[in-house]
Amino acid sequence: MPTKDRSTLFRGSRGSPIGTRNLAAAIFAAFILLALAAFQGFSNEPVPGDRDNDVEALIRAGHWKRARAIVEPRVQAHPQDAKSCYELAEVKFTFKDIDGALPLAQHAVELDPNNSNYHLQLGKVYGEQAARASFISAGSLAVKFRKEVEVAIQLDSKNLDVLDAMMQFKFQAPGIMGGSKDEARELADKIAALNPSAGYLAHAELAELEKDPAQMEAFYLKAVQADAGNYDAVIALATFYSQSPHAKYDEAMKQSQSAMHLDPRRIGAYRVQARVFALQQRWADLEQTLASAEKNVPDDLRPYYEAAQGLLESGRGYAKAEGYVKKYLSQEPEGEEPDSADAHRLLGLLFERERRNAEARSEFHAALKLRRGFKAAKEDLKNLND
């Protein structure tokens, strides 16, 4: 349960019909909790055909496009296979295809109603629907979200992802909806009792919600100390050290190197290094990192996006950054990564810095066309017009 890029996490929702003063904020917090969670506890049911290509392992490593290429034909060939339906629902959810994910998640639960993970996935879909719903519709989806997570816990009280889901809900929802910060911390403690490293990551999530970077750092360090082989923990610490105002670039590089040694085929280490090298204007190192990333993980160009973001933050190298964003847009973004709307917005911000306002306006419009209701892009466009 690593803490990941919040640009795609907590996208918010629109409230519910229950009368409470802070309801819109509560719905915002309660639903979009798990878009970036790494799942565990897959079903052990046999799947017809060859399973040498392990979809579970691909998903765990963030290779969503590869998983999709395998599981889509499996579902077509075996539409009554619960595990394949669940896996494809995961994949579609990650690519923000909520309409496609819903029937698959529902079908997986119908085929195997006793699987905790299947109920969690269905709850996630209801949560994302709530984030996109009108004020009136979000309330009924709130009930569905919580029901599915509660059923998932009843089915498997040791499912770390389900416990994490309920922990975040408890921490952020108001009391009238069952929220309790104390109960959230108790759930984090329960996760720690089952898996110390995962538990410290859960506590780090709560510290982030409380805007307490000192506690975040402490818990990330404990997570790595508890299990130095936990890639997610190592990358979470590396990412933390790559970001201001608590940046420690030497430590970010140290932890990213550790992650790379653990698994050079995952994108996280390259992403962190690209960001740091861009911020430090270490051009040769940056180009070498980008080349290595593309060689080892050719279907995930996130390091190019991070390099461009770093250059935007540094206030230098806009021409290079423009090229990096366009490279990122040259293929479909990987699941869980910034999507094409995010990339067009980033390109618009770069053009705005260069006073290329007509081009910036075009990119902001492109972002809004790809994602209706993209609040940040709307604000960027308004500020540009002002």
Side-chain angles (χ1 to χ4, degrees):
M1 291 162 292
T3 301
K4 299 185 181 180
D5 182 1
R6 260 40 182 186
S7 65
T8 54
L9 197 63
F10 304 124
R11 284 187 294 278
S13 64
R14 310 293 186 267
S16 87
I18 303 173
T20 180
R21 183 174 55 185
N22 296 318
L23 194 52
I27 297 294
F28 169 93
F31 293 96
I32 312 309
L33 305 173
L34 303 165
L36 302 178
F39 301 114
Q40 303 179 29
F42 283 69
S43 169
N44 292 321
E45 292 183 3
V47 176
D50 179 13
R51 293 287 297 209
D52 289 341
N53 293 311
D54 189 345
V55 173
E56 177 182 351
L58 291 171
I59 288 175
R60 189 167 57 247
H63 299 308
W64 297 95
K65 287 190 279 190
R66 300 179 204 178
R68 181 179 60 191
I70 296 170
V71 77
E72 276 187 334
R74 284 183 178 167
V75 171
Q76 291 175 1
H78 306 282
Q80 300 306 309
D81 175 61
K83 184 173 182 180
S84 293
C85 290
Y86 158 68
E87 289 171 339
L88 187 54
E90 279 193 284
V91 170
K92 286 184 176 292
F93 180 88
T94 303
F95 285 101
K96 301 183 179 69
D97 180 7
I98 305 306
D99 291 340
L102 178 60
L104 287 161
Q106 290 173 328
H107 193 43
V109 168
E110 291 167 357
L111 291 168
D112 184 0
N114 296 318
N115 189 295
S116 177
N117 285 299
Y118 299 176
H119 284 278
L120 174 59
Q121 180 60 42
L122 182 55
K124 285 180 55 190
V125 174
Y126 288 139
E128 182 64 22
Q129 283 187 321
R132 303 179 180 195
S134 66
F135 184 91
I136 294 175
S137 300
S140 61
L141 292 165
V143 174
K144 290 183 178 181
F145 166 81
R146 181 171 178 178
K147 176 184 175 182
E148 294 301 328
V149 176
E150 288 175 340
V151 171
I153 289 178
Q154 291 171 5
L155 290 169
D156 184 357
S157 62
K158 296 182 179 180
N159 186 322
L160 301 184
D161 296 311
V162 175
L163 293 173
D164 185 67
M166 186 56 76
M167 176 196 75
Q168 294 192 53
F169 174 84
K170 288 286 186 181
F171 191 86
Q172 298 180 89
I176 195 173
M177 293 180 67
S180 167
K181 288 182 171 55
D182 289 338
E183 290 180 21
R185 295 187 181 96
E186 289 173 2
L187 284 165
D189 289 338
K190 183 173 182 178
I191 294 170
L194 295 166
N195 183 317
S197 185
Y200 289 129
L201 288 177
H203 277 291
E205 291 176 23
L206 298 183
E208 182 174 13
L209 292 171
E210 291 184 308
K211 297 180 173 58
D212 189 341
Q215 283 296 302
M216 288 172 64
E217 180 180 12
F219 283 123
Y220 286 143
L221 285 168
K222 288 180 179 180
V224 172
Q225 291 165 2
D227 184 0
N230 183 342
Y231 186 96
D232 291 331
V234 175
I235 279 298
L237 182 58
T239 301
F240 177 83
Y241 283 138
S242 74
Q243 297 172 342
S244 60
H246 39 70
K248 297 180 182 179
Y249 295 142
D250 289 345
E251 286 298 318
M253 295 302 297
K254 176 183 175 181
Q255 296 300 327
S256 65
Q257 280 297 123
S258 295
M260 195 171 294
H261 287 309
L262 289 172
D263 191 347
R265 297 167 298 175
R266 295 182 66 170
I267 204 64
Y270 304 103
R271 168 177 58 80
V272 171
Q273 291 188 9
R275 172 178 171 78
V276 172
F277 287 144
L279 287 166
Q280 294 180 323
Q281 309 285 295
R282 293 168 59 178
W283 304 121
D285 290 330
L286 174 57
E287 294 301 328
Q288 182 177 354
T289 295
L290 294 173
S292 296
E294 194 168 0
K295 177 182 177 181
N296 291 309
V297 199
D299 48 357
D300 190 343
L301 299 180
R302 175 67 182 273
Y304 286 93
Y305 184 96
E306 286 298 319
Q309 182 68 51
L311 292 174
L312 177 66
E313 292 176 21
S314 72
R316 293 176 290 177
Y318 295 145
K320 281 183 176 289
E322 178 185 342
Y324 294 150
V325 180
K326 289 180 177 178
K327 174 71 173 182
Y328 185 73
L329 284 166
S330 68
Q331 67 172 236
E332 178 190 18
E334 181 59 280
E336 293 191 321
E337 306 290 19
D339 62 14
S340 295
D342 294 311
H344 280 288
R345 179 187 176 236
L346 177 55
L347 195 54
L349 292 172
L350 290 166
F351 287 147
E352 183 180 13
R353 289 281 185 91
E354 296 181 288
R355 301 183 184 278
R356 297 160 62 180
N357 287 359
E359 292 167 279
R361 187 175 295 106
S362 177
E363 295 300 326
F364 295 146
H365 278 298
L368 286 165
K369 185 176 181 180
L370 289 167
R371 188 194 305 165
R372 288 185 297 176
F374 192 173
K375 183 177 179 180
K378 285 183 178 180
E379 292 176 352
D380 295 329
L381 192 58
K382 180 179 182 298
N383 292 336
L384 187 66
N385 290 333
D386 290 347

